Amino acid sequence: MTTYGRAAEESAFVRTYAVTRGRTKPRHLLALETVLEAGQGRPGPAQAEECGEILALCRERRRSVVELAGRLGRPVTAVKVLVSDLLDAGALVVPLTQSYADTGAGSGPSIQMLAAVSAGLKRKWPDAVAYPQAG
């Protein structure tokens, strides 16, 4: 690696450290595919410039954590820390999708969701033995 490349890499690391104020763990459990949208709250005045960029992107349309990281060119862990800050401020929210929404008393997961889970499990463990059904 050239001296310039090493310096650029170290500069990016220092910038990421400064953006997250040295934090490496978000306060909220966020998956790569967690979808976010803009909320009613506002970020605090001490928030990183990237927080404004995240909000602008989420105002355009719902975005996943991994998409935000890619668009910002920042490590996913750093974006999760910033997203956690924005969730705490109410500036971002995790929308409840219909497939997970409570549709009434006694309702369970949809047939489509159960079929998708079953298909995924069969792909992951094709040789698994199925349990016999109670008769």
Side-chain angles (χ1 to χ4, degrees), residues 1-11:
M1 177 182 291
T2 66
T3 304
Y4 174 75
R6 188 172 300 120
E9 186 177 301
E10 288 174 5
S11 173

Side-chain angles (χ1 to χ4, degrees), residues 26-36 63-69 76-77 79-81 83-84 87 94 100:
R27 285 182 296 283
H28 297 273
L29 182 61
L30 299 164
L32 294 176
E33 67 275 6
T34 299
V35 175
L36 303 152
R63 308 274 181 169
S64 69
V65 170
V66 73
E67 181 180 1
L68 290 169
V76 172
T77 303
V79 171
K80 285 182 177 184
V81 170
V83 165
S84 278
L87 287 168
V94 178
Y100 297 110

Side-chain angles (χ1 to χ4, degrees), residues 98-101 103 107-117:
Q98 184 58 39
S99 61
Y100 297 110
T103 55
S107 69
S110 69
I111 297 297
Q112 293 84 2
M113 187 167 89
L114 291 173
V117 169

Side-chain angles (χ1 to χ4, degrees), residues 119-129:
L121 291 171
K122 286 177 185 173
R123 274 194 306 274
K124 178 117 176 131
W125 294 290
D127 299 328
V129 177

